Amino acid sequence: MQKEIWRLFQHLIVGCLIILVCCYAAVEFADYRFSQAKRDQLLCVDAELSVAILASGITRSLPDSQFNWKSANLSLNSPQVTALLATKRGAYLPNGDYQLSFGPLSHPSLVGVVSAKSYMFHLEALLKTLLLSPLSYADKQSLLKSISCLKVEKTSSPMSLTVDDVTLVHAEHNYYGFLWKGEVSGDVNYISIDHVSPVSLTLIVIVIVAIAIIAMLILIWRELFYLDEKREIFEDMTRQIARGLSGLPTEISDSSGTLKELAYSFDSMSSHIQRLLKVQRDMINAISHELRTPIARLRFGLEVVKDEVDPSVVHTVIALEDDVEELNTLVDEVLTYGKLEEGTLALNFHPFGIKQLVDSILQNNESLLKHLKVNVDISEKDVVIADEHHLHRALQNLILNASKYATSQIAIIFSYDEDRWQLDIEDDGPGISFEDRDKVFIPFQRLDNSRTRASGGYGLGLAIVQRIAFWHGGAVLVDESSLGGAKFSLIWSRNQRQDNLS
């Protein structure tokens, strides 16, 4: 089992490492994507602002732009610049640099190239160049709105700083923007870069971490499923041992061998117990069989002696005969229990009326029951399927057991459903305490209460009933009776029965 626990622990460690690696990779990937997206947006703003400035003829050179521009001398109006911006095309050069062109495909009006290692941006200077130019306020607004990577919106919120033409301000998520005050109207416009929303990057991180967690859970589930499969196999083996069956299943799937070692240990223990029980049963059966002959001789001898002795000692001989008969009954019960325990009796299942069987038991034992009121709640039409001989023995043992401890009455009640038949035998005697209810079925077990050897018996009657119920696919239960004493319930299955014990 230590190997199984260690392997599960290893999988947990591997799963945690996978989660850590995936989290690190996700954070690095998200940071790279975010930085790349931010740089792309800044390049877009730089390029389109530069084109707006160059195409409007405000200046012929732009040292603050990241792009190295090649252009014809242009002097376009605002609508023409907007149309020119719409023709933007981009491509990566073989050396990794990025090139943007504006205008006709064959003869572009503006071509700009930026180095792949360029990270220094001067957008404030570019904005000031455009917004502080001699262009009209309306043209400036039109050009700003035509730049796809910028957002322009008027703000009416009271400002905590003085706005002088173009002012740099910082916003959330380390973003920044610019405040621009109109020359004529005095309106304040907030100009910001249209950054990519970080929500998508956060979603990517969550997805990657979720995949890592799912992978770890799959590993753990696989190990737990494997352990549960072993548990089921082990339960099957213990059930076989409980039924008295020896030998391991033909196939035990266990790569580490832990389950096989445990199974072989249990099988060895079971085989040893079975050998001890077999020796005990064989010894008891052998002794019981050997006792039959001397018992028979004693009975014959006592019959002869009783006719020849003095009448004054006849009662002593009769007492001896009763003792021999009691001994003979004990031997018979021991042999019967041994056969039921070994399963060497052939059972003959057939339908018969349970009312007739109970009536015959009551009639045969009328002398033992004459001091009691026996209430029988069984219909004449009730038919069961069982081995009549052994069921007769079981019911007789239960009824006679109840008669020994009943004060004034016994109740015999029959009931059934789709799955089973049930016979309840109740008495109004002292009853059986809860902690002693399992002991009454142990062979030769006697309880230290009112149910003592003074009432007769050898402690085998209920054990025989339990074995008969077992071979009928049922059981015997003990409970408290509504009459105040004990209630024994003999239950056997209507669907599962063994036609032969061997």
Side-chain angles (χ1 to χ4, degrees):
M1 192 58 67
Q2 290 181 350
K3 293 181 180 178
E4 307 298 329
I5 296 174
W6 173 241
R7 186 163 66 244
L8 181 59
F9 183 65
Q10 285 179 323
H11 285 180
L12 286 173
I13 295 176
V14 171
C16 292
L17 291 176
I18 290 175
I19 290 179
L20 290 176
V21 171
C22 289
C23 289
Y24 176 78
V27 171
E28 288 295 321
F29 175 74
D31 183 64
Y32 169 76
R33 286 291 306 272
F34 185 74
S35 300
Q36 189 69 27
K38 185 176 180 181
R39 181 174 180 271
D40 291 344
Q41 292 297 97
L42 293 174
L43 285 174
C44 175
V45 174
D46 187 316
E48 295 190 7
L49 273 176
S50 300
V51 170
I53 294 171
L54 293 173
S56 299
I58 298 173
T59 182
R60 299 303 177 189
S61 63
L62 283 175
D64 294 320
S65 175
Q66 295 297 302
F67 287 86
N68 182 17
W69 293 100
K70 296 178 181 180
S71 65
N73 293 331
L74 301 174
S75 182
L76 306 177
N77 57 30
S78 178
Q80 291 174 330
V81 174
T82 302
L84 181 64
L85 288 173
T87 62
K88 181 176 66 173
R89 296 178 300 276
Y92 283 97
L93 300 178
N95 61 355
D97 293 344
Y98 186 64
Q99 175 181 287
L100 284 176
S101 59
F102 297 83
L105 183 61
S106 56
H107 299 89
S109 303
L110 286 167
V111 177
V113 179
V114 64
S115 171
K117 299 179 181 179
S118 178
Y119 291 100
M120 299 298 295
F121 295 92
H122 305 282
L123 300 183
E124 184 178 1
L126 292 174
L127 269 175
K128 286 184 176 182
T129 301
L130 176 63
L131 298 178
L132 299 180
S133 68
L135 296 176
S136 66
Y137 179 70
D139 287 340
K140 293 175 184 178
Q141 278 196 325
S142 177
L143 289 174
L144 286 176
K145 291 180 179 179
S146 65
I147 297 175
S148 60
C149 302
L150 283 181
K151 290 192 300 184
V152 182
E153 51 189 352
K154 290 184 179 181
T155 177
S156 58
S157 303
M159 296 296 161
S160 60
L161 69 159
T162 302
V163 179
D164 184 14
D165 296 328
V166 179
T167 304
L168 176 66
V169 293
H170 288 274
E172 58 182 356
H173 302 300
N174 291 326
Y175 295 157
Y176 60 89
F178 303 91
L179 294 175
W180 171 46
K181 185 178 181 180
E183 298 93 336
V184 180
S185 63
D187 293 337
V188 177
N189 300 280
Y190 179 64
I191 304 170
S192 62
I193 300 173
D194 190 11
H195 284 289
V196 176
S197 173
V199 176
S200 59
L201 300 178
T202 304
L203 181 62
I204 291 174
V205 174
I206 293 175
V207 169
I208 293 176
V209 173
I211 292 174
I213 293 175
I214 291 172
M216 186 183 74
L217 291 178
I218 290 175
L219 289 174
I220 297 174
W221 177 84
R222 178 178 173 273
E223 286 300 314
L224 293 178
F225 179 79
Y226 188 58
L227 288 175
D228 186 68
E229 187 180 36
K230 289 184 176 182
R231 178 191 59 79
E232 292 179 355
I233 296 175
F234 187 71
E235 283 183 356
D236 291 339
M237 291 189 297
T238 54
R239 290 194 193 99
Q240 289 185 14
I241 293 174
R243 296 190 188 104
L245 303 177
S246 59
L248 291 174
T250 56
E251 295 182 0
I252 301 179
S253 56
D254 184 17
S255 57
S256 64
T258 305
L259 184 61
K260 284 186 177 179
E261 293 178 4
L262 188 61
Y264 283 124
S265 298
F266 266 81
D267 184 62
S268 176
M269 178 186 68
S270 173
S271 300
H272 183 64
I273 293 174
Q274 292 294 332
R275 285 195 298 271
L276 292 177
L277 291 176
K278 186 176 185 304
V279 170
Q280 183 187 45
R281 286 194 299 266
D282 290 345
M283 181 180 65
I284 293 175
N285 290 337
I287 293 174
S288 300
H289 278 291
E290 292 300 325
L291 284 175
R292 282 188 175 276
T293 300
I295 288 174
R297 288 201 296 265
L298 283 173
R299 293 173 68 180
F300 177 75
L302 289 173
E303 286 289 337
V304 174
V305 170
K306 186 170 61 174
D307 296 334
E308 298 178 357
V309 297
D310 188 86
S312 60
V313 296
V314 170
H315 67 281
T316 303
V317 177
I318 294 175
L320 290 174
E321 285 183 331
D322 292 339
D323 291 338
V324 172
E325 186 61 31
E326 184 177 348
L327 181 60
N328 185 62
T329 303
L330 172 60
V331 170
D332 181 64
E333 287 198 354
V334 169
L335 290 175
T336 301
Y337 180 77
K339 291 178 181 179
L340 288 170
E341 186 71 22
E342 293 178 0
T344 57
L345 290 177
L347 296 184
N348 179 26
F349 286 87
H350 66 277
F352 58 88
I354 188 66
K355 180 69 163 56
Q356 290 74 18
L357 179 65
V358 172
D359 288 343
S360 66
I361 295 173
L362 297 177
Q363 184 177 357
N364 294 337
N365 298 277
E366 184 178 2
S367 59
L368 299 175
L369 301 171
K370 61 183 179 181
H371 66 289
L372 299 172
K373 179 183 179 182
V374 181
N375 300 314
V376 180
D377 185 8
I378 305 176
S379 171
E380 294 284 350
K381 299 179 180 179
D382 289 331
V383 176
V384 300
I385 298 177
D387 181 280
E388 187 174 1
H389 172 72
H390 289 92
L391 188 63
H392 181 281
R393 178 68 177 270
L395 291 178
Q396 178 173 272
N397 287 0
L398 290 175
I399 293 171
L400 294 181
N401 180 75
S403 69
K404 295 174 185 177
Y405 309 107
T407 303
S408 60
Q409 61 178 323
I410 295 175
I412 304 173
I413 304 169
F414 177 74
S415 60
Y416 61 91
D417 56 27
E418 294 181 356
D419 299 320
R420 64 183 186 175
W421 289 290
Q422 178 171 334
L423 263 170
D424 298 329
I425 292 89
E426 306 182 35
D427 62 66
D428 59 351
I432 303 175
S433 62
F434 181 80
E435 59 272 13
D436 290 334
R437 289 176 184 175
D438 289 336
K439 298 179 182 179
V440 297
F441 298 107
I442 300 176
F444 304 105
Q445 179 72 36
R446 306 306 300 250
L447 304 182
D448 296 328
N449 53 23
S450 62
R451 294 171 182 263
T452 61
R453 192 168 296 278
S455 60
Y458 314 100
L460 278 176
L462 294 178
I464 291 174
V465 174
Q466 186 185 52
R467 298 311 298 172
I468 292 175
F470 172 79
W471 290 115
H472 279 74
V476 185
L477 306 179
V478 187
D479 203 351
E480 184 178 351
S481 171
S482 59
L483 301 178
K487 172 184 175 182
F488 285 85
S489 298
L490 176 61
I491 303 169
W492 71 101
S493 173
R494 299 183 65 169
N495 303 318
Q496 297 179 359
R497 63 180 187 272
Q498 299 189 25
D499 294 329
N500 197 300
L501 292 179
S502 59

